[in-house]
Amino acid sequence: MRPRTTNGIVRPRTLQSSVLRGLLFLVLGLFCLYYLIPLIVMISTSLKSLTEIREGTLISLPREITFDAWSKAWESACVGVRCDGLKPFMWNSIAMAVPAVLLSTTLGAINGYALTKWRFPGANWIFALILFGAFIPFQVVLLPMARTLGQLGLAGTVPGLILVHTVYGLAFTTLFFRNFFIGVSDGIVKAAQIDGAGFFGIFFKIVLPMSIPAIVVTVIWQFTQIWNDFLFGVAFTIGDSNPVTVALNNVVNTSTGVKEYNVDMAAAIIAALPTMLVYVVAGAYFVRGLSAGSMKG
Amino acid sequence: MAAGIELKNVQKSFGNTEVIKGIDLNIEPGEFVVLVGPSGCGKSTLLNLISGLETLSGGDVTIGGKVVNNTPPRDRDIAMVFQSYALYPTKTVRDNITFGMQARRVPKAEQDAAVAAFSGLLQIDHLLDRKPGQLSGGQRQRVAMGRALVRDPDVFLFDEPLSNLDAKLRIDMRTEIKKLHLRLGKTVVYVTHDQIEAMTLASRIAVMDEGRIRQYGPPEEIYENPVDLFVAGFMGSPPMNMLPGRLLRTGDEVFVETGDDEARVRFPLPDAIANRIEVGNGHEVVLGLRPEAIFAAGTELPGADRFIFERPVEVVEPTGPDTMIVFGIGSVELIARVRPEDARDPGTPFSFEVDMSKAKLFDQSSGRSL
């Protein structure tokens, strides 16, 4: 055995430590499995045929892989009376989520920038009030929002839903950006002012390029919230303008015919794919943005 | 073209706190004026009022003969260098330098020419394509200067530009700033809390305290004829020795009696001071003696108005070229600057010689110079 020159920071490997290490990995592996099993069951069920589902068990892997359930969920499953699958509703969701995310993120960034770099009397009060919005539950705004949408003539439309999500998301996006910008040196904004740039010039040319980490966090958060929302979707849209979450519910909770578990599973995965995609793409960029933008002062 | 700056009764309050309490300041074109003072004295705020980054609560700011009270910073024809450098982290050095020109839609060719001219001068030409994050502190400082220089403004404003640099670099950059000023001849307003920077750079120094200017004048005047105890104590390192005492008139001679019953020293005032002062016998005064005015007896060429006294050495602090000897008179500690070879061990009696012609006298209650 080598002498202990490292004062116990690096310890020699013993039988005991090897056993403990093995135990550690076993426990970690079990937790992994615990979290992954629902996904595995969903994927494997979505690849089985209905007969196989009826005959086999829940966790058995598919004997014969078939994508019929996926194509049915995508283009021919019945949502209510309409049997075009999730496809049209996916487009609804994209048409709703993309503008809503962009709008709420942009407005949140401008809010945060104005609240931290262009201090005005009462800025703290305004921020406190905006922050308060983050603690208002969805249910509370349902009725006033329904009235507002009715007045604006946007009831039951995708633009109406965009408005709802933008307004509701502002509290969070403002909070994210305000907390990010508070750490950005005021000197930079002052220097840009003396260099001759105005409020929006400084915002777009100096401040926004610096805030990529905040943008990524906000986009992930907002996209996940808006895409996964069910309550606003079911309350403020009707039939053809439903987002995919509502359509998924209508596919799964149908009270007529045989329960097609494989189609349900495929539909659920399809509905969840975009958020996973955003997380993977933006998440990678997020880490890169963090390390590339790192500098003191 | 260099432009003059004139401040008339300039005031600034944040809420109920008065930060600048009515300042008048006249800066000639091409002058290098240093605003110096302890932190919180309002010197940076005053600079921000000149730049337009803060709005006035009262008074007038005139730059180049034009009142600019309501002119935004971009239209004041000024450039500013910040303490934190305030470089744009996502832009390359080149874009940092040209951002101001881009914002003003200066033609590309003109921008390139300006960058070429000043990047050579500041020795940053090899850094132009890097981001600020990849630069050292000194390089960032140069880029920040370059950003100010390319704009070719009438007035340069510096807000503690050297305080984030290490000691050696600070001295180098100080010299470079002075050279640049001599070369370009632009008006400079420079804020610092470092009195050595103030002394070395300024053509005139404004010593500030609590939102007011205590004294405004050339460095030598500030150092040699401080108007009050604050200015006297702030300028100079180690600081001026301040000995409280009483004025004593005996016959023709005027003394300052200092110390207590245990150790009493009577400093004879030279005629120049004695004839000037009007206060009577027993008046409470403060005698100000700079450390370099106290040295080991007999080590300097003899002169008029010398006074020799003896006190034991308490602490010896070598600095290299000089050695500081700390000793006491009564409850007051004094510092004498002696040659290293004249220093003695603590505890031994030491014969000090004072050049009384360099002595300053202040009124104890008002703090004003007598």
Side-chain angles (χ1 to χ4, degrees):
Chain A
M1 200 184 280
R2 279 175 293 168
R4 293 186 165 203
T5 50
T6 47
N7 294 327
I9 294 166
V10 180
R11 267 170 297 185
R13 180 175 293 196
T14 62
L15 182 66
Q16 193 196 359
S17 67
S18 302
V19 170
L20 281 175
R21 173 77 22 143
L23 209 64
L24 177 70
F25 281 118
L26 188 73
V27 171
L28 287 175
L30 280 174
F31 274 116
C32 270
L33 210 62
Y34 182 76
Y35 277 100
L36 280 175
I37 276 181
L39 183 66
I40 294 169
V41 169
M42 279 180 78
I43 293 173
S44 85
T45 307
S46 73
L47 298 175
K48 291 174 189 174
S49 63
L50 256 185
T51 18
E52 203 184 323
I53 292 172
R54 268 197 297 274
E55 288 162 4
T57 62
L58 189 65
I59 52 167
S60 64
L61 294 174
R63 284 192 303 268
E64 217 174 308
I65 290 176
T66 160
F67 290 96
D68 292 351
W70 284 75
S71 52
K72 185 169 183 193
W74 181 241
E75 47 190 23
S76 62
C78 291
V79 181
V81 288
R82 186 176 165 186
C83 292
D84 294 332
L86 287 183
K87 194 164 71 178
F89 302 98
M90 276 298 263
W91 290 120
N92 281 348
S93 269
I94 291 170
M96 162 198 74
V98 172
V101 168
L102 290 181
L103 272 174
S104 59
T105 306
T106 312
L107 291 176
I110 295 174
N111 279 352
Y113 165 66
L115 283 170
T116 51
K117 299 300 164 207
W118 298 77
R119 307 283 306 168
F120 51 90
N124 280 337
W125 276 101
I126 290 187
F127 178 61
L129 288 174
I130 293 178
L131 193 60
F132 185 64
F135 297 102
I136 298 177
F138 274 34
Q139 297 85 325
V140 173
V141 297
L142 278 181
L143 276 175
M145 200 56 100
R147 286 277 306 160
T148 310
L149 289 179
Q151 299 275 341
L152 293 173
L154 291 173
T157 63
V158 171
L161 204 54
I162 293 173
L163 178 71
V164 174
H165 281 299
T166 305
V167 170
Y168 195 82
L170 265 183
F172 296 94
T173 57
T174 303
L175 174 69
F176 290 155
F177 279 101
R178 186 258 181 198
N179 285 355
F180 178 79
F181 289 141
I182 205 102
V184 170
S185 151
D186 289 348
I188 289 176
V189 175
K190 288 183 180 171
Q193 261 179 284
I194 289 189
D195 267 344
F199 181 90
F200 283 106
I202 298 173
F203 178 68
F204 286 111
K205 287 185 189 143
I206 306 289
V207 171
L208 213 54
M210 289 173 67
S211 45
I212 286 169
I215 294 173
V216 172
V217 169
T218 312
V219 164
I220 292 178
W221 171 267
Q222 279 300 94
F223 190 85
T224 313
Q225 291 293 310
I226 295 173
W227 187 274
N228 288 345
D229 163 69
F230 177 76
L231 187 61
F232 285 157
V234 81
F236 300 133
T237 58
I238 35 167
D240 284 354
S241 63
N242 280 162
V244 73
T245 42
V246 179
L248 175 66
N249 174 68
N250 295 347
V251 170
V252 176
N253 281 348
T254 174
S255 49
T256 54
V258 188
K259 200 130 192 70
E260 294 176 298
Y261 288 107
N262 49 357
V263 177
D264 294 353
M265 297 294 180
I269 296 171
I270 288 172
L273 272 179
T275 48
M276 286 163 75
L277 190 75
V278 164
Y279 185 75
V280 170
V281 173
Y285 196 72
F286 177 50
V287 174
R288 207 166 51 209
L290 263 189
S291 50
S294 66
M295 73 162 282
K296 294 176 287 179
Chain B
M1 257 302 290
I5 301 171
E6 203 183 338
L7 307 185
K8 262 192 216 143
N9 192 26
V10 163
Q11 293 166 29
K12 177 68 184 175
S13 309
F14 293 108
N16 292 324
T17 337
E18 253 192 312
V19 185
I20 303 288
K21 300 166 184 168
I23 280 183
D24 295 294
L25 193 69
N26 187 36
I27 299 170
E28 299 294 329
E31 217 179 344
F32 198 124
V33 168
V34 174
L35 305 177
V36 69
S39 39
C41 71
K43 54 192 190 296
S44 287
T45 309
L46 190 61
L47 195 73
N48 283 340
L49 289 172
I50 298 174
S51 70
L53 289 171
E54 299 277 3
T55 48
L56 290 163
S57 304
D60 287 316
V61 175
T62 310
I63 299 178
K66 275 177 292 186
V67 177
V68 290
N69 294 359
N70 296 312
T71 312
R74 59 169 297 168
D75 298 325
R76 293 194 181 193
D77 209 5
I78 50 168
M80 193 158 169
V81 178
F82 295 84
Q83 178 179 0
S84 57
Y85 317 132
L87 299 178
Y88 313 126
T90 54
K91 294 186 178 293
T92 61
V93 167
R94 185 190 307 278
D95 286 341
N96 261 283
I97 291 175
T98 56
F99 181 71
M101 291 190 285
Q102 287 170 21
R104 288 181 163 77
R105 303 208 165 72
V106 172
K108 188 83 176 68
E110 218 170 295
Q111 293 182 21
D112 291 342
V115 170
F118 285 104
S119 60
L121 183 68
L122 291 164
Q123 298 153 33
I124 49 172
D125 25 15
H126 58 295
L127 305 171
L128 288 175
D129 296 316
R130 296 206 198 158
K131 295 272 178 74
Q134 299 162 294
L135 306 181
S136 70
Q139 290 170 332
R140 284 182 206 174
Q141 178 62 57
R142 284 166 193 280
V143 175
M145 302 251 297
R147 186 171 64 183
L149 287 173
V150 287
R151 292 258 323 282
D152 191 30
D154 290 344
V155 175
F156 284 101
L157 306 175
F158 289 86
D159 189 3
E160 309 213 18
L162 304 183
S163 46
N164 283 0
L165 299 178
D166 62 66
K168 189 180 174 308
L169 208 53
R170 199 179 305 165
I171 295 171
D172 293 346
M173 287 305 288
R174 203 167 72 196
T175 314
E176 283 194 43
I177 289 177
K178 190 154 193 175
K179 275 193 210 156
L180 277 171
H181 176 248
L182 289 175
R183 185 166 166 165
L184 302 170
K186 302 283 176 153
T187 312
V188 175
V189 185
Y190 187 107
V191 164
T192 181
H193 61 264
D194 181 345
Q195 43 95 15
I196 297 179
E197 253 171 53
M199 290 293 293
T200 48
L201 289 171
S203 62
R204 276 199 281 180
I205 296 176
V207 184
M208 290 183 65
D209 184 40
E210 291 178 342
R212 288 202 172 84
I213 291 183
R214 291 293 190 113
Q215 190 171 2
Y216 182 42
E220 311 79 48
E221 188 190 314
I222 301 273
Y223 192 76
E224 290 300 335
N225 298 311
V227 294
D228 58 18
L229 283 171
F230 176 81
V231 177
F234 191 79
M235 303 302 289
S237 170
M240 183 187 275
N241 297 302
M242 310 271 193
L243 266 169
R246 287 182 310 122
L247 203 73
L248 211 62
R249 292 179 187 271
T250 54
D252 304 346
E253 288 192 279
V254 185
F255 295 94
V256 176
E257 188 177 69
T258 63
D260 50 23
D261 291 339
E262 213 175 303
R264 209 175 282 282
V265 182
R266 280 184 183 180
F267 291 89
L269 287 180
D271 292 346
I273 300 180
N275 295 339
R276 192 175 69 219
I277 54 173
E278 287 160 0
V279 292
N281 207 8
H283 192 85
E284 308 257 298
V285 294
V286 174
L287 181 67
L289 295 169
R290 296 238 179 244
E292 64 268 23
I294 313 175
F295 38 87
T299 56
E300 302 267 324
L301 287 174
D305 302 318
R306 295 296 171 82
F307 170 65
I308 295 177
F309 64 98
E310 202 169 88
R311 294 297 301 156
V313 175
E314 281 180 13
V315 180
V316 179
E317 294 173 343
T319 64
D322 300 304
T323 295
M324 306 298 160
I325 292 185
V326 182
F327 63 99
I329 295 178
S331 57
V332 184
E333 267 193 355
L334 286 85
I335 298 175
R337 174 176 284 186
V338 305
R339 297 182 308 182
E341 58 268 32
D342 297 332
R344 295 291 175 271
D345 289 334
T348 49
F350 196 91
S351 210
F352 294 98
E353 183 173 338
V354 187
D355 182 356
M356 287 307 290
S357 65
K358 298 268 185 193
K360 327 276 178 247
L361 202 63
F362 303 93
D363 186 287
Q364 208 174 100
S365 53
S366 72
R368 306 290 299 172
S369 174
L370 287 173

